[in-house]
């Protein structure tokens, strides 16, 4: 293992501490090395706070002069809520900057590296690039396409049912899996469900089994059927709830607005909310990651339009037989050639359940 790889691995470990806390910024880690010893470490802790490079430089002090810097993402070169990191590195007098991946944000996109090179600083880019890209897939998707990264999760029996014939789904998965899901929620910008799920289950859609922040809640409700008494519209939750609809009547909107919720009017697609339009609108609000927890109708629509970027299936050791509900409401598939194909990226255990991570076989480009 080369020194560049060794120190980039440590920068990645730092970057992972910020996952789910930095949106709309990326998660970034930085390690500063001088004479073979680490003299500074930092990571981006939350949006609006100092970036990873600045935190590492603050720890390093005068030892940054002539040092090597390892950072998982190209240093920024523009002023946002914080000054540009490229200029801070130049002022500190560092000798060499090793970058995991270039920044796809058009405001940077090679500009940070160019500034460093112009100042006489040696630069290297592309060390452990795949790993660096992997921790920031939502950021990359949002800044390059304008749409959030959508992760679909569901709990199912081994024979592929998400509920009984009567709609009962509590609890298919084990307690460990439910805790895992709450950890996933804490790392997402938003949770998305359909109005049928709200009416049937009245979920809170909050983080409870682990410590972490609550994501926004997005309810896809074409005709505004959401009851005003549901938990997502309670006093503590309404301000973080977005209801997506095609209903334009302001009097109907007022029922939810006066409770503190946001009503987002979307374009129509065959008489329903256009999910593509909704995702663009959410991306424009700075939302980078969505955990899709909807039922079969919403999930089927998202799958059919190629809007799911990742799948997480919790498979419980239970069987329900031919009755019951499937994860995706899709009809008309008459041959295996019409099947949606995925690539399994990881299989593991979560308590008594099997957990399967997968991505579309031909995912949307993140370049």
């Amino acid at each position: 293992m080369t020194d560049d790889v060794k120190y980039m691995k440590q920068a990645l470990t730092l970057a992972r501490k910020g996952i789910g806390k930095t949106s709309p910024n990326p998660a970034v880690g930085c390690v500063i090395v001088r004479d073979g010893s680490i003299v500074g470490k930092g990571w981006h802790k939350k949006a609006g706070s100092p970036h990873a490079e600045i935190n590492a430089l603050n720890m390093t002090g005068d030892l940054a002069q002539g040092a090597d810097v390892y950072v998982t993402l190209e240093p920024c070169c523009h002023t946002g809520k914080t000054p540009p990191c490229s200029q801070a590195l130049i002022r500190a007098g560092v000798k060499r900057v090793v970058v995991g991946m270039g920044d796809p944000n058009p405001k940077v996109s090679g500009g940070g590296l160019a500034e460093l090179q112009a100042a006489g600083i040696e630069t290297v880019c592309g060390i452990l690039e795949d790993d660096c890209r992997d921790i920031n897939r939502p950021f990359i998707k949002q800044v390059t396409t304008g749409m959030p990264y959508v992760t679909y999760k569901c709990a199912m029996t081994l024979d592929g049912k998400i509920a009984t014939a009567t709609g009962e789904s509590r609890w298919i998965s084990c307690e460990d899996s439910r805790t895992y899901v709450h950890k996933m929620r804490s790392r997402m910008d938003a949770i998305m469900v359909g109005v049928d799920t709200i009416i049937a289950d009245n979920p809170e859609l909050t983080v409870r089994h682990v410590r972490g922040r609550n994501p926004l809640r997005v309810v896809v409700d074409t005709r505004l059927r959401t009851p005003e008494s549901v938990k997502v519209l309670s006093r503590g939750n309404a301000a973080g709830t977005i209801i997506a609809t095609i209903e334009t009547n302001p009097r109907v909107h007022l029922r939810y607005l006066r409770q503190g919720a946001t009503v987002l009017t979307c374009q129509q697609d065959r008489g329903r909310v256009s999910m593509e339009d909704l995702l663009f609108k959410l991306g424009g609000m700075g939302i980078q990651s969505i955990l899709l927890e909807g039922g079969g109708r919403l999930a089927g629509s998202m799958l059919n339009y190629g809007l799911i970027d990742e799948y997480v299936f919790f498979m419980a050791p239970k069987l329900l037989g031919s009755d019951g509900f499937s994860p995706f409401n899709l009809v008309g598939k008459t041959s295996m050639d019409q099947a949606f194909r995925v690539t399994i990226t990881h299989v593991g255990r979560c308590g008594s359940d099997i957990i399967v991570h997968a991505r579309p076989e031909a995912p949307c480009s993140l370049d």
Side-chain angles (χ1 to χ4, degrees), residues 170-232:
R170 294 185 178 181
W171 294 103
I172 288 178
S173 58
C174 67
E175 186 173 350
D176 287 345
S177 292
R178 297 196 293 274
T179 298
Y180 188 103
V181 169
H182 280 253
K183 185 175 181 179
M184 291 176 64
R185 285 181 177 182
S186 73
R187 292 185 167 193
M188 297 288 174
D189 292 337
I191 304 172
M192 181 182 290
V193 299
V195 64
D196 290 340
T197 296
I198 294 294
I199 292 173
D201 299 336
N202 192 17
E204 291 185 49
L205 303 181
T206 56
V207 174
R208 300 184 300 281
H209 298 312
V210 298
R211 293 182 61 185
R213 63 176 179 83
N214 288 325
L216 295 172
R217 292 161 293 279
V218 180
V219 179
V220 182
D221 184 358
T222 296
R223 299 295 178 186
L224 288 183
R225 296 186 292 121
T226 300
E228 296 172 58
S229 59
V230 295
K231 292 177 182 177
V232 295

Side-chain angles (χ1 to χ4, degrees), residues 5 8 71-72 98-102 113 123-132:
V5 170
M8 189 60 71
V71 61
T72 55
V98 180
V99 173
M101 62 169 285
L113 288 170
T123 64
V124 177
C125 185
I127 303 299
L128 297 181
E129 182 173 0
D130 288 345
D131 294 320
C132 292

Side-chain angles (χ1 to χ4, degrees), residues 139-336:
F139 167 75
I140 298 169
K141 173 85 179 290
Q142 195 265 341
V143 298
T144 57
T145 70
M147 302 173 76
Y149 188 91
V150 177
T151 300
Y152 170 68
K153 81 86 189 164
C154 80
M156 62 169 61
T157 60
L158 279 182
D159 55 348
K161 297 296 186 290
I162 62 172
T164 67
T166 60
E168 181 185 347
S169 60
R170 294 185 178 181
W171 294 103
I172 288 178
S173 58
C174 67
E175 186 173 350
D176 287 345
S177 292
R178 297 196 293 274
T179 298
Y180 188 103
V181 169
H182 280 253
K183 185 175 181 179
M184 291 176 64
R185 285 181 177 182
S186 73
R187 292 185 167 193
M188 297 288 174
D189 292 337
I191 304 172
M192 181 182 290
V193 299
V195 64
D196 290 340
T197 296
I198 294 294
I199 292 173
D201 299 336
N202 192 17
E204 291 185 49
L205 303 181
T206 56
V207 174
R208 300 184 300 281
H209 298 312
V210 298
R211 293 182 61 185
R213 63 176 179 83
N214 288 325
L216 295 172
R217 292 161 293 279
V218 180
V219 179
V220 182
D221 184 358
T222 296
R223 299 295 178 186
L224 288 183
R225 296 186 292 121
T226 300
E228 296 172 58
S229 59
V230 295
K231 292 177 182 177
V232 295
L233 293 176
S234 66
R235 184 174 300 176
N237 291 335
T241 296
I242 299 169
I243 302 179
T245 185
I246 64 172
E247 175 62 65
T248 59
N249 188 332
R251 292 185 178 180
V252 183
H253 288 195
L254 187 61
R255 289 164 36 195
Y256 305 103
L257 296 175
R258 64 190 177 195
Q259 290 183 265
T262 298
V263 177
L264 200 59
T265 304
C266 300
Q267 296 177 12
Q268 295 189 36
D269 177 18
R270 301 178 187 180
R272 298 185 180 277
V273 169
S274 165
M275 297 309 300
E276 186 173 39
D277 181 56
L278 171 57
L279 291 181
F280 274 119
K281 283 182 166 62
L282 295 174
M285 296 167 61
I287 294 173
Q288 291 182 351
S289 57
I290 291 176
L291 184 62
L292 177 61
E293 295 194 20
R297 182 183 297 177
L298 178 59
S301 176
M302 294 284 279
L303 174 63
N304 206 37
Y305 283 98
L307 299 175
I308 298 175
D309 299 287
E310 189 166 348
Y311 304 85
V312 182
F313 297 103
F314 296 86
M315 303 179 69
K318 301 174 183 178
L319 303 170
L320 281 176
S322 59
D323 285 344
F325 292 87
S326 298
F328 305 101
N329 283 5
L330 290 172
V331 296
K333 304 297 180 186
T334 58
S335 74
M336 281 298 170

Side-chain angles (χ1 to χ4, degrees), residues 7 32-40:
Y7 293 125
I32 301 179
V33 178
R34 178 168 171 171
D35 299 327
S37 298
I38 294 177
V39 293

